[in-house]
Amino acid sequence: MQTLHASKCGLSTAQLPSYILDVIDALTKAGFEAYIVGGGVRDLMLGLNPKDFDAVTNATPAQVKEVFGRRCRIIGRRFELAHVYSGRELVEVATFRAPPKKAVTSASGMILRDNNWGTIEQDFARRDFSINAMYYQPRKGIVLDFCHAIDDIKNKTLRLLGDPTLRFEEDPVRMLRTLRFAAKLNFSIAPDILEVFTPEMTQLLRDISPHRLYDESQKLFTMGHLNRVLPMLIDFDIWRQLFADIDPNISTFIERAAINTDQRIQIGKTINPAFFYAVLLWKPFLERCEFYLNKGMVAAEARAQAGLDVLKRQATRTIIPRFAETFIREVWEMQTRLLSPKPQQIQALSTHARFRAGFDFLLLREKSGDHSTQGMGTWWDTYQLMSTDEKERAISQYNRQRAKSRRKAQTDDVVEPKSVSVEIEPLVQETAPRSRRERERKDRSRPERPVQMVTSGGSEIRADHPILKRKRVKRDLNQVVFGPTQ
Ligand code: ATP
Ligand code: MG
């Protein structure tokens, strides 16, 4: 083990947010050892902006709770951790871990339960990459380096601690982490990792819960180097494990969406990680729509059912949370609405909660060479920049063109909207729509109510006739102006 001077590694307390220093100070004051570890130290050393800071200590989670009281919550089963709230920030405080006991590993060697507290040396050996295993004590101004991690930082090399085969078997998610860090940091992967990173090895990911894989996929999408990691996912055969039904092929649409995501992150814009899932699953969704249309289903039903099917299939790999699924289906449904809006719906559509995402998606499709958008991406793009008067003119012009092209030909029904009301219907229903046959069956099973007849103006009409629902307004004949012909 070597002790490095923090200042020589480019580290200083001035770079640290007060919330992490508070946590380190409180633990130290209570008589415990406390360090910053992991990505925070690594990123600072590389001159990057750390996403967050994790702390590690020799205090057990229960002792951490004693130090922070109500500011602390103990979470996790496989890894018991303390979550400490410092101001508005949350710091993950882990306890030094010892090697797992044999009894809590699965048949394939995967660690199932892991709450065996240990020393800092043992904790170090449990971490994944050398560059993630440096312990920074900011008040002492030192970094503990147990494995010459500093050389890997200098050489830009990603090196697993211990035997790569064993480390991947223990936790197959480390394969995803390898690609994530290699892409994010632009590091090369050590040869001994490359040697064992085979398609057979990636099969181990099948044992990982789809919830955890979803979380990992989100980290891949939001790290700011999505475009760099996508080809790596294909090359290392990880793609097939994460996205079973999506062709391992980066279309222009996917590539543009990835570049766009990275750019947004770079300039500090928010991104919805589900958006990229909507992009990835768009082709399988269209194919599934086609399948249902060929079976004779009406377009709206085909889209709804196809959306549900595609997301259900994806859930066997990564379980997309319900709110994200709804978002994805709404973005897809928006494509139909934006492509051929009713003129009287245009204004309402442009203020819809899902408009922005739907529009971004449409424009991305268009810019990727998808001619089926019929230029509507650009149309909406221009529309948003117009004054009220210009918007009105644009809508009338659109209306005229639409009437003309409608006369010419009926467009394909995947893109044909069904709704005619000015009020916008919900974009997606939580459950699949009933098929026509089901609806007919239900209607048939409904008992017929006897029709009542009433006499009105001398003739007999049905009691539910709309004319009887009209309000009678008494007219003042003095106010009636008769035209010349009368
Ligand atoms: P970032 O937060 O920038 O994505 P990170 O390295 O901080 O990267 P975290 O997932 O926050 O990643 O984990 C914190 C630290 O915990 C890691 O740096 C590593 O030391 C350790 N760690 C996390 N996941 C694993 C794992 N699967 N196997 C071994 N060690 C891990
Ligand atoms: Mg981290």
Side-chain angles (χ1 to χ4, degrees):
M1 194 272 289
Q2 55 177 340
T3 305
L4 310 170
H5 290 288
S7 58
K8 287 196 179 148
C9 303
L11 303 176
S12 91
T13 47
Q15 298 162 313
L16 297 173
S18 59
Y19 71 82
I20 184 71
L21 286 170
D22 286 347
V23 171
I24 299 287
D25 289 344
L27 286 167
T28 315
K29 200 166 151 226
F32 297 107
E33 284 177 58
Y35 299 90
I36 306 174
V37 71
V41 185
R42 175 197 71 214
D43 289 352
L44 281 181
M45 280 194 179
L46 289 165
L48 303 171
N49 201 6
K51 187 172 89 211
D52 51 26
F53 290 93
D54 301 307
V56 68
T57 176
N58 60 348
T60 62
Q63 287 168 325
V64 176
K65 173 104 187 126
E66 265 173 43
V67 174
F68 294 98
R70 289 176 58 190
R71 287 167 58 199
C72 172
R73 247 169 19 106
I74 297 174
I75 61 136
R77 234 163 71 85
R78 177 168 164 259
F79 283 113
E80 207 176 85
L81 279 177
H83 271 177
V84 175
Y85 290 87
S86 181
R88 295 176 64 189
E89 301 293 334
L90 184 132
V91 183
E92 222 169 73
V93 181
T95 303
F96 293 149
R97 287 202 155 78
K101 289 179 185 151
K102 270 248 152 6
V104 286
T105 56
S106 73
S108 62
M110 202 163 81
I111 302 170
L112 300 175
R113 183 100 26 110
D114 196 6
N115 291 320
N116 201 20
W117 315 131
T119 62
I120 190 166
E121 287 83 1
Q122 288 172 317
D123 185 85
F124 145 75
R126 300 285 326 280
R127 294 194 175 262
D128 48 5
F129 301 97
S130 61
I131 55 165
N132 284 348
M134 289 180 284
Y135 297 74
Y136 174 29
Q137 211 323 326
R139 296 302 187 195
K140 291 187 186 161
I142 54 165
V143 177
L144 306 184
D145 179 1
F146 294 88
C147 59
H148 301 284
I150 190 74
D151 296 338
D152 293 329
I153 290 268
K154 284 181 193 148
N155 301 331
K156 291 177 146 281
T157 306
L158 206 54
R159 188 160 55 88
L160 268 170
L161 299 174
D163 173 31
T165 304
L166 280 179
R167 301 314 307 276
F168 281 166
E169 280 171 1
E170 264 176 16
D171 183 2
V173 166
R174 289 178 188 146
M175 286 181 262
L176 291 184
R177 290 175 66 85
T178 304
L179 300 188
R180 174 151 66 90
F181 294 129
K184 174 178 161 162
L185 309 172
N186 206 8
F187 270 35
S188 54
I189 303 172
D192 62 344
I193 301 180
L194 292 175
E195 212 170 287
V196 303
F197 203 150
T198 57
E200 295 75 60
M201 187 64 94
T202 65
Q203 295 285 325
L204 294 179
L205 282 165
R206 300 303 292 270
D207 294 341
I208 303 295
S209 89
H211 290 281
R212 189 162 175 223
L213 286 184
Y214 175 77
D215 287 348
E216 287 302 322
S217 71
Q218 295 303 278
K219 290 181 189 170
L220 289 170
F221 295 174
T222 57
M223 71 168 155
H225 296 281
L226 178 53
N227 191 42
R228 198 184 284 160
V229 88
L230 287 179
M232 297 169 86
L233 294 179
I234 295 177
D235 290 349
F236 285 85
D237 227 31
I238 295 279
W239 182 289
R240 247 176 350 127
Q241 302 302 333
L242 287 181
F243 320 117
D245 287 344
I246 309 173
D247 286 348
N249 161 43
I250 301 164
S251 63
T252 320
F253 179 40
I254 293 178
E255 189 182 17
R256 268 191 175 262
I259 294 172
N260 202 269
T261 307
D262 291 344
Q263 280 168 347
R264 285 181 72 98
I265 291 167
Q266 213 166 24
I267 56 174
K269 275 195 184 176
T270 56
I271 58 150
N272 186 334
F275 186 88
F276 196 67
Y277 264 112
V279 170
L280 284 176
L281 293 167
W282 176 240
K283 194 164 163 249
F285 165 72
L286 290 180
E287 285 166 2
R288 198 71 187 153
C289 281
E290 203 55 41
F291 167 81
Y292 281 122
L293 288 171
N294 289 339
K295 285 193 149 206
M297 217 183 238
V298 293
E301 274 177 18
R303 291 197 302 271
Q305 194 56 57
L308 290 171
D309 286 2
V310 166
L311 290 166
K312 199 168 161 198
R313 294 269 308 161
Q314 180 56 32
T316 61
R317 299 304 163 97
T318 62
I319 292 199
I320 302 174
R322 181 57 63 89
F323 71 89
E325 278 196 355
T326 306
F327 171 89
I328 294 168
R329 290 172 56 210
E330 285 180 341
V331 167
W332 290 342
E333 190 56 25
M334 257 291 170
Q335 300 311 293
T336 306
R337 307 271 173 113
L338 295 180
L339 195 61
S340 186
K342 298 279 166 202
Q344 63 271 41
Q345 284 188 338
I346 288 176
Q347 181 50 27
L349 264 177
S350 70
T351 55
H352 193 282
R354 211 45 82 216
F355 172 76
R356 191 73 228 172
F359 159 70
D360 284 347
F361 195 93
L362 185 72
L363 199 59
L364 265 175
R365 286 172 56 202
E366 194 161 302
K367 291 198 166 162
S368 318
D370 179 348
H371 299 300
S372 69
T373 64
Q374 298 165 26
M376 283 308 282
T378 313
W379 191 89
W380 281 104
D381 198 17
T382 325
Y383 174 83
Q384 291 170 76
L385 302 172
M386 288 177 173
S387 67
T388 318
D389 285 352
E390 288 170 332
K391 279 182 179 167
E392 269 175 28
R393 277 199 296 277
I395 293 173
S396 344
Q397 197 196 355
Y398 163 79
N399 201 5
R400 280 195 299 277
Q401 273 176 358
R402 187 166 181 267
K404 213 161 108 191
S405 55
R406 282 199 135 199
R407 277 195 297 272
K408 256 181 155 180
Q410 282 289 333
T411 45
D412 186 76
D413 58 355
V414 179
V415 296
E416 183 66 26
K418 289 283 290 173
S419 95
V420 285
S421 64
V422 178
E423 201 178 305
I424 301 203
E425 295 168 9
L427 288 177
V428 298
Q429 308 288 341
E430 282 304 319
T431 50
R434 283 188 291 135
S435 68
R436 194 185 308 163
R437 200 182 301 164
E438 261 181 276
R439 277 202 308 269
E440 283 167 4
R441 201 184 316 134
K442 187 114 187 226
D443 290 344
R444 270 202 304 277
S445 62
R446 210 177 283 152
E448 283 250 320
R449 275 203 267 134
V451 179
Q452 283 186 12
M453 304 300 278
V454 293
T455 315
S456 168
S459 57
E460 214 173 48
I461 55 172
R462 289 164 65 113
D464 59 353
H465 195 284
I467 201 153
L468 295 175
K469 290 195 184 127
R470 265 212 239 141
K471 254 196 195 156
R472 284 199 173 268
V473 183
K474 206 158 187 210
R475 289 207 285 172
D476 177 0
L477 287 181
N478 291 329
Q479 300 294 316
V480 179
V481 181
F482 293 99
T485 52
Q486 286 163 313

